[in-house]
Amino acid sequence: SAITLFFLVYSRGEISEETKRHETIHFQQYLETFVIGFLLVYLFDYLYAAFIKKKGFSRDSYLAIRFEQEAWTQDKDVDYLRNRKRFSWLNYPLGGE
């Protein structure tokens, strides 16, 4: 229901606190990777999952993106952004589980 593009968040209507945290995690990832790095890693991770892990062009490939793994697993934690260490997305496995 929402997407972060560069430094803007687009949403269909009002977004929940959980979605705000999810998109704020992406914003932090954009900052860490100087925007262009985010786009390159995002695409690389998706294609890696699709082809190497044989997940195809599917939701599974999307969920295998390390940026998404971090955002989806941490968006319920109200303290996560306050305690998050830089480059935390690197702790998630390439290609997902």
Side-chain angles (χ1 to χ4, degrees):
S1 66
I3 185 171
T4 300
L5 296 174
F6 304 105
F7 304 106
L8 301 171
V9 176
Y10 295 95
S11 172
R12 288 185 237 148
E14 193 171 334
I15 61 176
S16 68
E17 290 301 313
E18 188 175 307
T19 301
K20 286 179 189 175
R21 280 191 296 277
H22 183 102
E23 299 306 328
T24 303
I25 291 168
H26 286 321
F27 176 74
Q28 293 301 312
Q29 296 163 341
Y30 268 107
L31 292 176
E32 293 164 358
T33 57
F34 303 105
V35 179
I36 190 68
F38 181 93
L39 301 173
L40 293 172
V41 170
Y42 203 96
L43 180 62
F44 175 82
D45 280 13
Y46 184 83
L47 294 174
Y48 183 88
F51 291 108
I52 304 301
K53 292 294 203 167
K54 300 185 185 333
K55 295 181 182 196
F57 296 104
S58 66
R59 181 162 174 80
D60 287 342
S61 290
Y62 159 75
L63 293 173
I65 297 167
R66 289 171 289 174
F67 295 138
E68 293 298 344
Q69 290 179 62
E70 180 187 12
W72 281 105
T73 59
Q74 303 301 332
D75 60 10
K76 291 170 185 57
D77 183 349
V78 295
D79 295 319
Y80 184 71
L81 286 163
R82 186 179 358 212
N83 300 319
R84 181 184 182 270
K85 293 189 177 10
R86 293 276 178 209
F87 298 96
S88 289
W89 56 272
L90 288 169
N91 296 321
Y92 293 86
L94 178 61
E97 308 263 351

